[in-house]
Amino acid sequence: GNSVTQMEGPVTLSEEAFLTINCTYTATGYPSLFWYVQYPGEGLQLLLKATKADDKGSNKGFEATYRKETTSFHLEKGSVQVSDSAVYFCALSGQFQGAQKLVFGQGTRLTINP
Amino acid sequence: GAVVSQHPSRVICKSGTSVKIECRSLDFQATTMFWYRQFPKQSLMLMATSNEGSKATYEQGVEKDKFLINHASLTLSTLTVTSAHPEDSSFYICSARDPSGGRYNEQFFGPGTRLTVL
């Protein structure tokens, strides 16, 4: 079945540092890929998405590129801020049966220190 | 963006009682809603898919008689945890799919409900 694997956290960085959170997936066909963010005490929010190979999703300075050859969708940001502290989830929805369902990675807790 | 609410945000109950959690889409009609369970420091596990006007589809291993789902209107789905036990304590999150988004539609998530069973 479909699955998503994220780098384990927690991740702690200083403000303005470069961020990478690795995400790899297993799926048949061409899934859609997502990054969700969960701020403390809030629900999940879609951060960015990519729906086909080589697409780059971007939002709020974050980027991720859909790499079919390496089955990856790593999240990057060039200069993080304290307000980026949150839990980040990589997810996919399959191309075939059950395409509405989201399969989540285990989440990565990010803490940015001033 | 679309807003999804959940009520209550926190509930504490005694073992053996039933608890109902509501999930509402506030500014759009959601033909499909999803219920997830999130354990501490773990990912979200899909429990069931709720379609308006029909029976919910449960994921493998989820007891349908234990977790009753009702999706009676296009803006409301409810999850009832029946005869709750301490092992049912968890963070329950719902999401609603905006049908206007086509195949790559976005799910909008509620803020979650923390259930503690004593």
Side-chain angles (χ1 to χ4, degrees):
Chain A
N2 297 339
S3 66
V4 175
T5 302
Q6 282 179 244
M7 67 183 285
E8 290 196 24
V11 174
T12 302
L13 297 172
S14 297
E15 205 165 20
E16 300 184 1
F18 184 86
L19 169 71
T20 299
I21 301 178
N22 290 337
C23 172
T24 57
Y25 68 89
T26 301
T28 53
Y30 293 85
S32 296
L33 302 175
F34 307 84
W35 276 100
Y36 283 85
V37 58
Q38 185 177 30
Y39 297 104
E42 299 183 16
L44 275 72
Q45 301 173 26
L46 179 65
L47 181 59
L48 52 85
K49 70 179 182 183
T51 57
K52 61 181 187 293
D54 299 325
D55 266 3
K56 177 185 284 187
S58 61
N59 185 26
K60 299 181 180 179
F62 291 90
E63 293 183 340
T65 301
Y66 187 145
R67 300 287 188 200
K68 180 70 172 174
E69 63 276 16
T70 54
T71 62
S72 66
F73 193 54
H74 305 321
L75 182 68
E76 296 182 337
K77 186 174 185 180
S79 177
V80 292
Q81 305 300 314
V82 172
S83 57
D84 294 327
S85 298
V87 181
Y88 292 81
F89 292 92
C90 185
L92 70 80
S93 64
Q95 180 183 6
F96 303 114
Q97 188 178 7
Q100 296 182 81
K101 300 179 185 179
L102 285 171
V103 176
F104 286 89
Q106 64 267 43
T108 302
R109 182 174 299 276
L110 173 66
T111 301
I112 308 300
N113 294 321
Chain B
V3 179
V4 175
S5 70
Q6 276 185 248
H7 178 79
S9 58
R10 292 178 179 270
V11 57
I12 300 173
C13 69
K14 293 182 178 180
S15 187
T17 60
S18 294
V19 174
K20 180 184 285 188
I21 302 169
E22 293 184 349
C23 176
R24 294 182 185 272
S25 57
L26 298 185
D27 50 5
F28 66 101
Q29 293 185 328
T31 53
T32 304
M33 291 184 171
F34 303 86
W35 287 97
Y36 296 85
R37 185 172 177 177
Q38 185 179 26
F39 292 97
K41 299 184 179 181
Q42 294 188 31
S43 188
L44 282 74
M45 180 193 76
L46 179 64
M47 299 174 66
T49 302
S50 169
N51 293 297
E52 188 266 338
S54 64
K55 291 183 178 180
T57 303
Y58 290 81
E59 295 299 300
Q60 191 172 10
V62 178
E63 299 175 59
K64 61 181 66 175
D65 294 331
K66 173 77 170 175
F67 299 99
L68 300 178
I69 291 172
N70 183 280
H71 193 160
S73 78
L74 288 172
T75 58
L76 173 65
S77 176
T78 60
L79 167 68
T80 301
V81 183
T82 62
S83 188
H85 289 93
E87 58 266 30
D88 298 325
S89 298
S90 191
F91 195 54
Y92 292 88
I93 302 173
C94 74
S95 70
R97 173 177 167 263
D98 181 350
S100 66
R103 177 190 157 196
Y104 308 115
N105 52 82
E106 183 177 349
Q107 288 185 28
F108 297 92
F109 286 80
T113 297
R114 170 85 50 203
L115 170 64
T116 303
V117 184
L118 302 177

